[in-house]
Amino acid sequence: MPALTPSRRRAAALVGSLTSLALGATLLTTSPAATAAPEKPADDTYRGQVQVVPGKDAKARVLRGSVFVDADRDSVKDPGEKGIAGVAVSNGRKVVTTDRQGNYKLPVDDNTTVFVTQPAGYQVPVDEANVAQFHYNHMPAGSPKLKYGGMKPTGLLPKAVNFGMVTSQATATTEQECIIGGDIQTYKKVEADYAAKGAFKDLNARTGYDGCGALFIGDIVGDDLSLYPGIRELTKRLNGPARFLPGNHDMDYDAKSRAHVYDTYRANFGPTYHSYDVGRVHVVSLDTVDYPVPGKSYNGALGSKQIEWLKQDLSRVPKNKLVVVAGHIPLLTFADQGSEQHQIDEVKQVYKLLKGRKAVAVSGHTHSIENMRKGDSMAGWQDIFGVAGLPFAHITSGAISGDWYTGRMLEGGFPMAVQRDGGLPGVVTLDVKGNRYTERFTVRGDKGADQMQLGLNTPAYRDWYRKNKPATGKPKPGTWLTTNFFMGSTGSKVTVSIDGRRAQKATRTQPMTGEGQYVGAEYSDPAAAQEQLVHGGSVADRSMHLWRQGLPTDLEVGKHTATVRATDAHGRTSSEKITIEVTE
């Protein structure tokens, strides 16, 4: 077949000029044009904190308090301010509900975080960084000596801890936008600047998520916990409340026991697991990292205490609600389907607790985008965990940091950071109506139009790939047009039309029907891999959302246009074009 040279129609293409590498491919890259954020309305945000009434009884072991409507928004339970009945409050194992007056009581020990589950129709306060305030840490003596400080002594058990809320139409409405942001993972201050110019600038320009807010699902920083204040500066840009859960890079690694491994995280962001309600959605945020673990750096697990809390938490949730189960390490994942460490030991217990419910799992950790649907199956899940197929959808959100802020710098002020699956950095949004949702991915620096990238997988490319990343196996013949459909999944359809000819259905490279991973040059995203092998970072040598279509062998010398249409499982269609030049 004659030589082929692709070129892209749009600016979001990957891969700079690589003609010197004799790949026969030139793809031009420019960064998206900057757009000014819309002017914000007057700030009516409910700012405040949890009311802690000092105690004097050194022998007290039962915490009492109230959940109340903070009518004057002063974070103090004043006479006449009504309590809220039926609200869940927990000490991390036991869950109780407030009585008719909004009162509760819970046993505590000297290392307890007490937290409230925000009901739909109410909003807990946020602090000056927009971080939701719904908990109280009790550690009378403070943390043992830790490099990053841990928790300061809290003193005697308070006489009362009162959780103020205000009524909220934003959390009452059954239509919600829930932002899921994975792995901000800053290792140094300059990387917080990259995040500020990327995903957080995008979120600052967006509205509509003031009810559900943004949930950042772990690896908030990269081991250096002194960078937490910089993350709080980022959340000041949000137009809704920020909530967090921890990842394996958010730990006090010098802690001697599991009891104190998240002390610095808790001091900055709150409980390591919790829940909240908006509309007809119940969000459960889990701590999925077990550390320290003999013989491992860490492990994906929940532990018996958290499982007991989850059981009690879900027992109070009506069966007609959508349950969003969030964790840093995925319950199950495509990227690490053969690894016990990077998936959750108690996955079958979680499935049992959610049986009969509408549910979706969201996670981060893998620095890749995954949209796995009910029934999807991988060999590793069956072999390691005995799971033959997913009982509900699992979404891995990708990372705000992308591939750890690697690659060449773009005009927007951040690095390319192409991820392990070939996807670009960004955030996932769950658009919820009632107890149903649709998922969408927004690439950093884009308003949502950028849903795929196209490339050519040619023999010349595969030869070059093997020289730069040696691989075993006999290379396959042929040339394919590849489509990396970021939110592509089982039920998606990709078609290719060359020069207006009848569209042909492309083939998904990873069908998710019980096989193992397909890895190597033939299963790679050429656009991403060329970018990565030239400018650094991981290599997109596998993906569960890559489609390919063989090109006709009768293309004449000259330029040809391929039109690709990608339709997701919800029937939403995106299209892109690529120009292919055939030479002698």
Side-chain angles (χ1 to χ4, degrees):
M1 186 175 181
L4 300 171
T5 302
S7 61
R8 285 296 299 274
R9 171 178 60 80
R10 63 189 176 89
L14 293 176
V15 189
S17 176
L18 297 175
T19 50
S20 62
L21 297 174
L23 300 184
T26 303
L27 300 179
L28 301 179
T29 302
T30 60
S31 62
T35 55
E39 188 173 333
K40 287 187 179 181
D43 188 5
D44 190 38
T45 302
Y46 172 41
R47 299 196 184 277
Q49 59 276 329
V50 173
Q51 182 189 15
V52 179
V53 181
K56 298 180 181 180
D57 186 355
K59 297 181 179 181
R61 291 295 181 269
V62 176
L63 180 65
R64 291 173 168 81
S66 176
V67 179
F68 68 100
V69 178
D70 189 10
D72 58 3
R73 299 187 172 212
D74 66 349
S75 300
V76 175
K77 189 178 186 304
D78 301 312
E81 288 185 326
K82 295 182 178 180
I84 308 172
V87 179
V89 188
S90 179
N91 60 8
R93 180 186 292 273
K94 184 176 182 179
V95 181
V96 299
T97 51
T98 55
D99 62 19
R100 292 181 179 180
Q101 288 73 45
N103 298 322
Y104 72 90
K105 60 180 181 180
L106 278 166
V108 296
D109 59 27
D110 288 344
N111 186 0
T112 300
T113 297
V114 175
F115 54 92
V116 63
T117 296
Q118 171 192 282
Y122 293 91
Q123 176 68 63
V124 298
V126 298
D127 64 12
E128 68 282 353
N130 290 318
V131 177
Q133 302 296 296
F134 57 95
H135 71 281
Y136 164 71
N137 294 316
H138 182 61
M139 193 177 291
S143 299
K145 185 178 180 181
L146 295 171
K147 178 178 179 179
Y148 294 106
M151 204 175 299
K152 296 179 180 179
T154 60
L156 297 179
L157 187 69
K159 180 179 179 181
V161 172
N162 299 321
F163 298 98
M165 301 182 185
V166 295
T167 57
S168 169
Q169 180 58 36
T171 68
T173 180
T174 57
E175 293 191 12
Q176 295 287 338
E177 292 184 23
C178 300
I179 307 294
I180 309 297
D183 300 67
I184 306 169
Q185 205 164 347
T186 53
Y187 284 88
K188 45 192 176 184
K189 290 181 179 179
V190 69
E191 293 174 346
D193 186 53
Y194 298 155
K197 293 175 179 177
F200 283 90
K201 181 179 179 181
D202 298 343
L203 292 174
N204 177 244
R206 287 177 58 177
T207 57
Y209 61 96
D210 52 328
C212 197
L215 177 60
F216 298 99
I217 51 177
D219 282 2
I220 302 163
V221 295
D223 301 329
D224 183 352
L225 308 189
S226 70
L227 297 176
Y228 278 154
I231 301 301
R232 292 174 59 84
E233 287 297 315
L234 293 177
T235 60
K236 289 181 179 180
R237 298 167 176 259
L238 300 180
N239 295 317
R243 293 178 174 87
F244 296 85
L245 57 82
N248 52 290
H249 289 283
D250 295 315
M251 299 186 289
D252 288 292
Y253 282 114
D254 53 337
K256 303 300 182 184
S257 70
R258 182 73 167 85
H260 294 286
V261 77
Y262 279 129
D263 282 7
T264 302
Y265 168 89
R266 290 163 62 198
N268 281 271
F269 299 111
T272 59
Y273 53 91
H274 57 90
S275 62
Y276 54 99
D277 287 277
V278 292
R280 292 177 62 188
V281 182
H282 182 70
V283 182
V284 178
S285 301
L286 298 176
D287 169 12
T288 57
V289 185
D290 187 18
Y291 176 87
V293 181
K296 295 182 180 180
S297 54
Y298 60 87
N299 186 47
L302 302 179
S304 59
K305 177 181 176 181
Q306 190 174 185
I307 286 287
E308 177 58 30
W309 169 82
L310 179 61
K311 180 179 179 180
Q312 293 188 38
D313 177 80
L314 290 173
S315 71
R316 290 162 169 78
V317 179
K319 288 292 183 71
N320 64 353
K321 283 196 171 188
L322 171 68
V323 179
V324 178
V325 183
H328 178 63
I329 296 176
L331 295 176
L332 292 175
T333 173
F334 165 78
D336 297 301
Q337 60 94 31
S339 168
E340 180 181 1
Q341 178 182 12
H342 299 290
Q343 299 172 95
I344 304 305
D345 289 352
E346 302 92 342
V347 59
K348 293 183 77 172
Q349 290 177 256
V350 175
Y351 289 166
K352 185 176 181 180
L353 291 174
L354 291 167
K355 187 176 181 179
R357 293 182 178 273
K358 292 183 182 295
V360 57
V362 295
S363 61
H365 187 58
T366 67
H367 292 255
S368 59
I369 306 164
E370 299 175 3
N371 190 6
M372 303 183 298
R373 300 186 68 79
K374 181 179 180 179
D376 281 355
S377 179
M378 294 294 294
W381 305 342
Q382 177 69 50
D383 295 344
I384 299 173
F385 300 102
V387 175
L390 299 182
F392 49 81
H394 290 46
I395 297 172
T396 305
S397 66
I400 287 174
S401 61
D403 192 70
W404 296 273
Y405 301 105
T406 57
R408 59 193 171 93
M409 290 295 296
L410 301 178
E411 291 180 6
F414 41 74
M416 180 72 87
V418 183
Q419 301 185 88
R420 292 172 64 192
D421 63 315
L424 296 174
V427 299
V428 164
T429 303
L430 300 181
D431 293 306
V432 183
K433 291 185 178 181
N435 62 1
R436 298 180 180 275
Y437 75 94
T438 54
E439 69 284 357
R440 58 186 163 105
F441 182 75
T442 308
V443 171
R444 161 216 59 198
D446 183 80
K447 293 183 178 180
D450 193 358
Q451 293 297 310
M452 70 183 94
Q453 64 198 16
L454 309 181
L456 282 181
N457 192 321
T458 67
Y461 159 73
R462 293 193 290 278
D463 287 343
W464 174 85
Y465 178 99
R466 284 179 167 80
K467 290 176 182 177
N468 288 273
K469 190 178 189 297
T472 59
K474 185 178 179 180
K476 295 183 178 181
T479 292
W480 307 295
L481 174 62
T482 62
T483 303
N484 190 334
F485 186 18
F486 301 145
M487 277 275 101
S489 67
T490 299
S492 297
K493 180 181 178 182
V494 175
T495 62
V496 179
S497 172
I498 307 293
D499 295 336
R501 300 183 190 185
R502 183 179 178 180
Q504 301 295 312
K505 186 177 179 180
T507 301
R508 189 180 181 190
T509 61
Q510 189 80 53
M512 303 291 290
T513 55
E515 74 282 359
Q517 280 184 346
Y518 296 141
V519 183
E522 288 80 7
Y523 304 100
S524 66
D525 176 348
Q530 291 174 85
E531 176 72 35
Q532 293 162 320
L533 286 170
V534 171
H535 297 288
S538 301
V539 178
D541 60 357
R542 72 202 73 184
S543 175
M544 54 79 61
H545 49 80
L546 188 74
W547 277 255
R548 67 188 185 194
Q549 173 63 29
L551 293 183
T553 58
D554 60 349
L555 292 181
E556 296 179 354
V557 172
K559 292 184 178 180
H560 301 269
T561 300
T563 301
V564 177
R565 290 174 61 86
T567 304
D568 69 12
H570 306 289
R572 298 172 298 187
T573 297
S574 303
S575 64
E576 292 292 346
K577 292 183 179 181
I578 183 171
T579 298
I580 304 165
E581 184 175 4
V582 179
T583 59
E584 292 293 348

